[in-house]
Amino acid sequence: MQTLLQQLLAGLENGCIYAVLALALVIVYQSTHLVNFAQGEMAMFSTYLAWTLINAGYGYWSAFVLTCALSFAIGSVVEKLIVRPVSRKGSELSVVIVFIGLLLIFNSIAGWIWSHTVKTFPGPFEGRGLGPAGAHLVGLLGPIAVTLAVLALVYVFLCHTRMGLSMRAVAQNMESSRLVGINVDRTLSIGWGLAALIGSVAGMISAPKLFLEPHMMSGVLIYAFAGALLGGISNAWGAVVGGLIVGVLENLLGTYVIGTEIKLTVGLVLIILILLFKPSGLFGTAVVKRV
């Protein structure tokens, strides 16, 4: 029973990481109706920025806040300079190719600047003075608490601020939003910045567990995508629930059924099954278009 409880808590810890990255995927999807395949690499790049700041003498939480601000700026610039011109002049396939290109660019730049050597990333939740059991519990619950705090702030922003309401309006109908006076271009830039900021949080809370290297977020992105699809990629909070479910499911199946070596297949199989049998997810809305 104790082992099961530990696996459930570890699954929730993983699920929080997937939930945060799934939320970032949904925010971009709502504006472009495409999945940003570079979201994980952008999160990885932001984590390297945090690692650089920490090694430069900044405290963990100071580096955390500065990295969030830098990630927001990077996301906004990427949308304005790269994604926006292509999405206006090209097809959806062109935007997908741009996303794949961004994935390779961020991965290559990270390897070029910081090398491909695996690095350790400090964690703020060490539980000093609490003994091995207490330290382990703090290490599990700390990332969960940070994730819940971030999700609460995102909820307040989206539901109780003017810009958040504008983002939701643009996600629902871009042309109608223009007609009522919403600055759609600025809103999209802020949305991309917010997605990059949220992704950076996922990277920073996962790095102490995964270790820091250019490919650290590749598997996480697959699980996050599975979580977003499971909850409904058109529903932000559904994607969060989906990420938590995927985290627990992946951990339990990896421990008791298939083994840890092929756990990644859980995410891949989930993606295939959801797309085959329930593309709208658990909480998403099916959209019917007349051709």
Side-chain angles (χ1 to χ4, degrees), residues 55-178:
N55 283 313
Y58 287 86
Y60 180 91
W61 294 111
S62 298
F64 185 95
V65 173
L66 284 172
T67 300
C68 288
L70 290 171
S71 301
F72 183 91
I74 291 171
S76 298
V77 169
V78 166
E79 190 280 331
K80 184 175 182 179
L81 298 183
I82 301 175
V83 177
R84 188 186 303 174
V86 176
S87 62
R88 285 182 174 176
K89 298 179 181 179
S91 62
E92 291 184 348
L93 180 60
S94 302
V95 182
V96 171
I97 294 172
V98 167
F99 288 163
I100 296 174
L102 286 172
L103 183 155
L104 298 174
I105 288 170
F106 277 106
N107 188 280
S108 300
I109 291 177
W112 176 55
I113 296 175
W114 292 286
S115 81
H116 290 269
T117 306
V118 176
K119 298 173 174 60
T120 57
F121 190 89
F125 308 106
E126 298 179 355
R128 294 176 181 174
L130 298 178
H136 180 67
L137 185 62
V138 170
L140 286 176
L141 296 181
I144 295 175
V146 171
T147 301
L148 293 177
V150 170
L151 296 178
L153 290 173
V154 172
Y155 171 78
V156 171
F157 174 76
L158 290 178
C159 297
H160 299 284
T161 66
R162 185 182 182 89
M163 179 53 64
L165 294 174
S166 297
M167 286 177 57
R168 294 170 64 191
V170 170
Q172 291 292 324
N173 193 314
M174 191 177 297
E175 293 304 319
S176 296
S177 298
R178 292 185 193 275

Side-chain angles (χ1 to χ4, degrees), residues 26 225-247 249 270-271 273-275 277-286:
V26 168
F225 184 38
L229 287 175
L230 178 61
I233 201 165
S234 60
N235 186 310
W237 312 117
V240 170
V241 174
L244 294 173
I245 294 173
V246 169
L249 190 62
L270 272 175
I271 290 172
L273 292 176
I274 295 165
L275 291 175
F277 298 108
K278 195 168 177 57
S280 60
L282 296 176
F283 305 101
T285 302

Side-chain angles (χ1 to χ4, degrees), residues 30-76:
Q30 287 181 337
S31 60
T32 64
H33 296 289
L34 294 169
V35 176
N36 180 11
F37 297 107
Q39 198 74 63
E41 304 307 300
M42 292 173 69
M44 172 274 298
F45 190 86
S46 297
T47 308
Y48 268 111
L49 294 178
W51 179 83
T52 302
L53 290 171
I54 291 172
N55 283 313
Y58 287 86
Y60 180 91
W61 294 111
S62 298
F64 185 95
V65 173
L66 284 172
T67 300
C68 288
L70 290 171
S71 301
F72 183 91
I74 291 171
S76 298

